[in-house]
Amino acid sequence: MLNILYQDPEIVVCEKPFRILSTDEPGGMPDLLREALGSPGEAIRSVHRLDQVVGGVMVYARTAQAASALSRQIREGSFQKEYLAVTHWRPHEDAGTFLDLLGRNPKTRRTFVARLPGKGIQQAVLHYRVVDSREGFSLVSVQLETGRTHQIRVQFAHRGLPLAGDRKYSKYPDPPEWEIGLWSHRIAFAHPATGEAMAFVLPPPQAEPWGMFSPAGEGR
């Protein structure tokens, strides 16, 4: 059953499971939310995205006005998103900023780090902080300034720190049962109707690769 953290007439906050589309395609999250809410004809609107393989907390709009207000917060940078990632190895610094130019190959559906500006090349910025390291892996808190496709996965892999369980950007033979080590951990925003400050935190599952940091995020 879908895990719904909060709902009202304007928004619904929920857990997106791994390997489910976050957007409104057949079998995607809006479909699952309509089923869970018992409202098959409702226009559930996505305002932000997660890669299909990634899980964690998301908010969806239930009205056009709510979707517009939340989208505006995302454009203006007041909508906060924090991720937890499990990387191979440990970054050289305990905290820092990654700034890269990213491009996208539509044929291979892969994002890449570009050396020079050009057509379709966009700046990507994230901030990270190492929470814990053990057994050759690190638990890292990540905050995005930009939201490029596969941004976290590519920026860490480019530095020799690919995410655990990432089948696309990592060459390490992680166990096939591992889900990707990337989780939408916290979102914070102003309620689109009332302006009330809202924040939701959802810990990752205790399956590997998260289990080696049990409980994940402790001491943050």
Side-chain angles (χ1 to χ4, degrees):
M1 179 176 291
L2 202 63
N3 180 15
I4 294 178
L5 307 180
Y6 173 86
Q7 62 171 301
D8 65 26
E10 301 291 330
I11 61 173
V12 56
V13 180
C14 60
E15 175 184 343
K16 184 188 98 62
F18 295 108
R19 303 182 184 277
I20 298 295
L21 289 165
S22 63
T23 48
D24 198 7
E25 288 93 357
M29 283 299 296
D31 257 5
L32 298 184
L33 283 168
R34 284 187 278 265
E35 180 180 352
L37 295 168
S39 184
E42 186 172 348
I44 302 289
R45 295 166 170 87
S46 57
V47 295
H48 64 123
R49 298 185 178 192
L50 289 179
D51 293 349
Q52 183 173 359
V53 295
V54 178
V57 61
M58 295 189 71
V59 59
Y60 287 84
R62 304 183 73 176
T63 67
Q65 293 81 3
S68 177
L70 290 171
S71 296
R72 183 171 59 253
Q73 292 180 47
I74 292 171
R75 289 195 305 272
E76 295 173 351
S78 59
F79 188 112
Q80 299 174 28
K81 292 181 279 188
E82 180 186 353
Y83 299 82
L84 288 176
V86 177
T87 69
H88 283 271
W89 314 116
R90 182 184 177 98
H92 293 302
E93 304 292 337
D94 289 341
T97 297
F98 293 164
L99 191 156
D100 294 294
L101 296 173
L102 297 186
R104 180 82 175 158
N105 186 323
K107 293 183 179 180
T108 63
R109 301 174 65 88
R110 290 172 64 93
T111 300
F112 59 90
V113 173
R115 289 185 292 179
L116 298 172
K119 184 178 179 180
I121 303 300
Q122 295 178 301
Q123 182 173 276
V125 184
L126 65 77
H127 309 284
Y128 74 89
R129 178 175 59 85
V130 177
V131 178
D132 194 6
S133 293
R134 59 186 69 184
E135 301 176 27
F137 294 89
S138 293
L139 178 67
V140 182
S141 170
V142 180
Q143 290 186 313
L144 289 179
E145 274 195 28
T146 55
R148 312 307 181 200
T149 301
H150 298 173
Q151 177 179 338
I152 296 173
R153 300 163 66 181
V154 172
Q155 288 194 276
F156 276 93
H158 179 67
R159 291 163 172 83
L161 304 162
L163 271 55
D166 189 346
R167 319 295 180 215
K168 186 179 286 284
Y169 297 103
S170 174
K171 296 181 180 179
Y172 288 101
D174 294 323
E177 66 272 16
W178 284 16
E179 300 288 0
I180 191 170
L182 184 58
W183 184 259
S184 175
H185 180 237
R186 179 182 183 272
I187 57 174
F189 53 89
H191 190 282
T194 67
E196 176 187 358
M198 309 193 81
F200 298 90
V201 176
L202 186 67
Q206 283 304 292
E208 299 298 352
W210 307 100
M212 69 180 80
F213 301 102
S214 180
E218 183 178 23
R220 298 177 61 253

